[in-house]
Amino acid sequence: MPASADAAGGENAEKRAFDRVLLKLSGEALMGSLEYGTDPDRVERIAGQVASLRKTGLEVAIVVGAGNIYRGLQGAAAGMDRATADYMGMLATVLNALTLQDALESAGAQTRVLSAIDVTEVAEPYIRRRAIRHLEKGRIVIFAAGTGNPFFTTDTAAALRALEIHAEAILMAKHGVEGVYDADPAEVPEAEFLAHISHREAIERGLKVMDSTALSLCMDNDLPLYVFNMADEGNIDRIVRGEKVGTLVDGEGKD
Ligand code: UDP
């Protein structure tokens, strides 16, 4: 267990199933019921949940997306060069990272934003060892600008950063769905909920967990994913305590 978890976790430490996790928040998670942009109430609620998680001594890193603002594919579909559009998408994640940072600090957490694209006036550059040091000191680390490379997604950034910082799991926050289904439950009412699947099964069946590049990275490195509904405010805490919530995607699949 990391020393900081002992120090900060105190009596709660033994109740945790993990010491260090990476939370993936899509841009849409920040959008609430809006069509576009950021819903301040939603952001405040997410920040409250994450800040209280940190108080248990858990080390928390976050990768944030930008689907609420801009996706590279939108620009590419409108005739833009895909790489340029993707860089715009990465810059949009910086906006979300700063929004989250502000909300987390209002909720009493200490945070640092580390960006894969240099924006040194507002965020530190991404340096792996520095990220780990911040986590050990009890700071919530927000990774901005994805991987820093076009043609990737923030899901891949989540897998990559989680591996780099030795996170024990990725917590994939969804809103409005409990986890992974064999079809989109919004379109297919009889879609079956899948409580436990393997990375390979998710890739082969094209299940909506993460994109295939990100899933492959998790599969090759045996990194488990917990896909859960963040709209239920107790869920994230339950996962961290080792309770069965949502869908577990790991190397084994099936219980
Ligand atoms: N992006 C990128 N490289 C990365 C991460 C993100 O080019 O490593 C761009 C890409 O254009 C993407 C956008 O940033 O569409 C926003 O990220 P994403 O779509 O993953 O956000 P989310 O779906 O999680 O809200």
Side-chain angles (χ1 to χ4, degrees), residues 19-46:
D19 293 323
R20 181 178 292 165
V21 296
L22 186 138
L23 173 67
K24 167 69 208 299
L25 288 173
S26 66
E28 274 151 15
L30 311 181
M31 204 161 68
S33 51
L34 304 177
E35 298 265 299
Y36 169 86
T38 310
D39 174 358
D41 290 340
R42 170 64 68 82
V43 173
E44 192 184 323
R45 265 187 284 139
I46 291 174

Side-chain angles (χ1 to χ4, degrees), residues 61-190:
I62 301 175
V63 166
V64 66
N68 58 325
I69 302 174
Y70 192 79
R71 282 211 170 91
L73 284 174
Q74 280 168 239
M80 261 181 112
D81 180 281
R82 168 79 191 268
T84 304
D86 277 343
Y87 278 111
M88 291 167 64
M90 285 184 265
L91 292 176
T93 71
V94 179
L95 302 186
N96 282 336
L98 295 180
T99 303
L100 265 179
Q101 177 174 46
D102 186 77
L104 283 165
E105 297 205 333
S106 296
Q110 287 191 24
T111 65
R112 292 289 186 275
V113 176
L114 271 60
S115 175
I117 291 179
D118 276 0
V119 278
T120 44
E121 277 76 8
V122 294
E124 295 179 15
Y126 172 69
I127 297 170
R128 187 181 79 91
R129 284 172 182 275
R130 190 182 279 187
I132 292 171
R133 189 75 191 118
H134 286 319
L135 291 167
E136 288 169 350
K137 286 188 170 174
R139 297 169 184 146
I140 296 173
V141 172
I142 306 165
F143 294 119
T147 64
N149 299 292
F151 301 98
F152 288 93
T153 63
T154 53
D155 284 352
T156 303
L160 178 65
R161 296 294 184 241
L163 291 167
E164 287 188 86
I165 63 169
H166 307 297
E168 292 148 281
I170 299 181
L171 312 188
M172 291 285 295
K174 301 280 174 191
H175 267 87
V177 287
E178 298 304 321
V180 181
Y181 295 76
D182 65 351
D184 183 350
E187 287 168 18
V188 184
E190 62 275 16

